[in-house]
Amino acid sequence: MGQRTIRVIQTEQHSQDRLTEKSSLTFRPDEQGVEMPLINIYEDLTYQEIVGFGGAITEASAVTAAKLGESNRDAIINSYYNAQDGIGYTICRTHINSCDFSLGNYAYVEEEDPMLANFDISRDKETLIPYIKQAANAAGDDFRLYASPWSPPQWMKTTGEMNNGGKLKPEYRDAWARYYVKFIEAYEAEDLPVWGLTVQNEPKAVQRWDSCIYTGEEERDFVKNHLGPTLEAADLSRVKLMIWDHNKERLYDRAKIAFEDPGASKYIWGAGFHWYSGDHFESLSAVHDRFPDKQLVFTEGCHEGGVQLGSWKSGERYAHDIIGNLNNWMSAWTDWNIVLDEQGGPNHVGNYCDAPIIADTQSDSLTYQSSYYYIGHFSKYIRPGAVRIGCTKYTDKLETTAFRNADGTIAVVVLNRTDEAVPFTLRNNDELAETSIPAHAIQTLLFDNP
């Protein structure tokens, strides 16, 4: 058997490396048995299987792309959802009714109509659905679409408006549950199968944009008594239902309320989470340890406060969070808007944010942020069906994770957020390969099983 080689893919702040393939490394026998600056890879230790990586296509993303020429409009989709030429996204999140990254508040049933006879997704057909379909075509068979509501229609709310929180009126719980079914049926009539749903985006936050509040008990009971049975009656039990869809710091508490109730838990596939309250990686392991049959999905994260062109910390923040989540049982990951305009919108309440690709709609040009490349070190090389494997490191200066893909390829991601190059020796199956990672860089190392 010949020597095993290691492909090295690198993105580095202080060079032109952007998902650049560097000179390969070669394993040699581990014969000395002396201490080294090791990263150990143990493929016989296995953890969760990966569903995939992706981003959100909102009305804002679709409208922004529509303002560009066809070349750049297509380039955005291919940069994300093409596995060969792009970074291999396979997941897409979108919104049920409007969200803050819509051009304004809207619902599929605008006037009071508990029977939902006037349910109409024609607005989504203008730009949103065509762009999602383009992503689906680029991704192929592994494409997974899931949807989240930010607010029910204003006539279902205690406040009479979609913005500024409020709750779902008790008398409309059944109608709201049927609304999800109507959405799924309408999208699937457009040849867009819906893989999953979250019950409510950020159910604890009274936002100045589209929002709706549920306590843990209210969310549990809505699933148990309304949404779960309604999906089942419509023969939609295949749809992956996720609770919470909010920050990690209260993930365990909310999971416990829903998952300890057998009547609710039987309908729930997993829990979604965001990153806006800090790392809280241990909260993911807490949920997994207590409820190992439930999946953990990162459903949203972005840099707030508008566009930050050229920020390197943006990419490093993404990579740090992805590694921490993966090492604590996350099985799927979804960024927020795949593209925004030069202001970080459009957003109907001025809640401007950053995105991995920024489009200048005036000059018809695209800027790829550091976050795009950093995300690609995971999404392009850790493919659907990959399984996390054992990985240990010698220093906290490095952050690492490792996966075995379905084709047997092992992918090891190494992140260095420090100001100095850090040496390390990759060790697997009693073989070694010595190398280093530059300051403020990320590497993906790819090699075959022996």
Side-chain angles (χ1 to χ4, degrees), residues 45-93:
L45 291 174
T46 58
Y47 304 92
Q48 79 273 25
E49 182 177 315
I50 291 299
V51 175
F53 294 81
I57 300 182
T58 59
E59 185 177 55
S61 290
V63 167
T64 295
K67 293 178 180 178
L68 303 172
E70 183 178 2
S71 176
N72 277 332
R73 194 161 60 243
D74 294 347
I76 294 165
I77 292 296
N78 287 326
S79 293
Y80 282 116
Y81 287 94
N82 186 300
Q84 283 71 45
D85 300 331
I87 59 174
Y89 274 9
T90 58
I91 295 177
C92 175
R93 183 191 190 207

Side-chain angles (χ1 to χ4, degrees), residues 367-420:
T367 298
Y368 289 75
Q369 303 273 62
S370 64
S371 51
Y372 171 83
Y373 300 104
Y374 271 71
I375 293 166
H377 277 269
F378 303 89
S379 59
K380 189 172 178 69
Y381 302 108
I382 301 171
R383 303 303 299 157
V387 175
R388 182 164 66 93
I389 58 177
C391 180
T392 67
K393 56 186 171 60
Y394 80 100
T395 175
D396 287 341
K397 292 180 180 179
L398 300 179
E399 299 167 60
T400 60
T401 194
F403 284 80
R404 183 178 63 237
N405 284 296
D407 66 359
T409 304
I410 291 176
V412 180
V413 182
V414 182
L415 172 66
N416 178 10
R417 294 190 291 160
T418 75
D419 294 332
E420 297 179 350

Side-chain angles (χ1 to χ4, degrees), residues 61-307:
S61 290
V63 167
T64 295
K67 293 178 180 178
L68 303 172
E70 183 178 2
S71 176
N72 277 332
R73 194 161 60 243
D74 294 347
I76 294 165
I77 292 296
N78 287 326
S79 293
Y80 282 116
Y81 287 94
N82 186 300
Q84 283 71 45
D85 300 331
I87 59 174
Y89 274 9
T90 58
I91 295 177
C92 175
R93 183 191 190 207
T94 197
H95 43 93
I96 298 172
N97 295 329
S98 57
C99 67
D100 52 325
F101 281 92
S102 300
L103 302 189
N105 293 124
Y106 71 90
Y108 306 128
V109 182
E110 293 286 4
E111 303 298 330
E112 187 168 3
D113 173 18
M115 299 308 296
L116 310 180
N118 298 308
F119 193 93
D120 182 10
I121 63 163
S122 58
R123 176 163 175 160
D124 289 4
K125 292 181 184 180
E126 294 173 12
T127 55
L128 183 57
I129 285 175
Y131 214 47
I132 295 173
K133 290 180 77 170
Q134 194 172 340
N137 290 334
D141 292 341
D142 287 327
F143 185 74
R144 301 287 183 267
L145 173 66
Y146 73 97
S148 308
W150 268 243
S151 173
Q154 50 84 22
W155 53 270
M156 289 189 183
K157 302 278 292 294
T158 55
T159 53
E161 65 167 329
M162 295 182 74
N163 300 342
N164 301 303
K167 293 195 173 190
L168 175 66
K169 289 181 177 180
E171 61 265 35
Y172 288 125
R173 288 169 184 160
D174 279 329
W176 183 228
R178 285 186 281 110
Y179 205 99
Y180 296 76
V181 172
K182 287 277 194 181
F183 172 85
I184 294 168
E185 291 174 344
Y187 264 61
E188 294 192 345
E190 297 298 315
D191 199 26
L192 277 176
V194 175
W195 170 81
L197 292 171
T198 71
V199 178
Q200 169 63 44
N201 178 73
E202 299 186 347
K204 192 179 177 294
V206 176
Q207 308 283 25
R208 55 194 172 89
W209 53 87
D210 322 59
S211 46
C212 185
I213 305 303
Y214 290 80
T215 66
E217 292 77 13
E218 287 167 341
E219 185 177 32
R220 173 199 66 197
D221 293 345
F222 177 64
V223 169
K224 179 169 66 173
N225 300 322
H226 304 279
L227 183 54
T230 300
L231 290 169
E232 188 174 62
D235 198 25
L236 291 172
S237 297
R238 61 175 168 79
V239 175
K240 311 299 187 186
L241 188 60
M242 292 169 270
I243 59 161
W244 189 224
D245 199 5
H246 205 164
N247 292 327
K248 285 181 269 185
E249 89 289 340
R250 287 176 174 80
L251 174 64
Y252 179 76
D253 306 78
R254 294 291 287 240
K256 213 166 69 156
I257 291 169
F259 298 159
E260 284 184 342
D261 187 313
S265 183
K266 67 180 181 179
Y267 297 116
I268 303 168
W269 177 76
F273 60 90
H274 302 179
W275 73 2
Y276 303 108
S277 63
D279 285 351
H280 289 284
F281 299 132
E282 300 85 353
S283 69
L284 305 184
S285 280
V287 174
H288 173 267
D289 292 348
R290 182 73 180 273
F291 308 104
D293 60 325
K294 301 300 185 184
Q295 300 297 308
L296 293 163
V297 177
F298 183 86
T299 49
E300 184 187 312
C302 73
H303 291 286
E304 300 170 285
V307 175

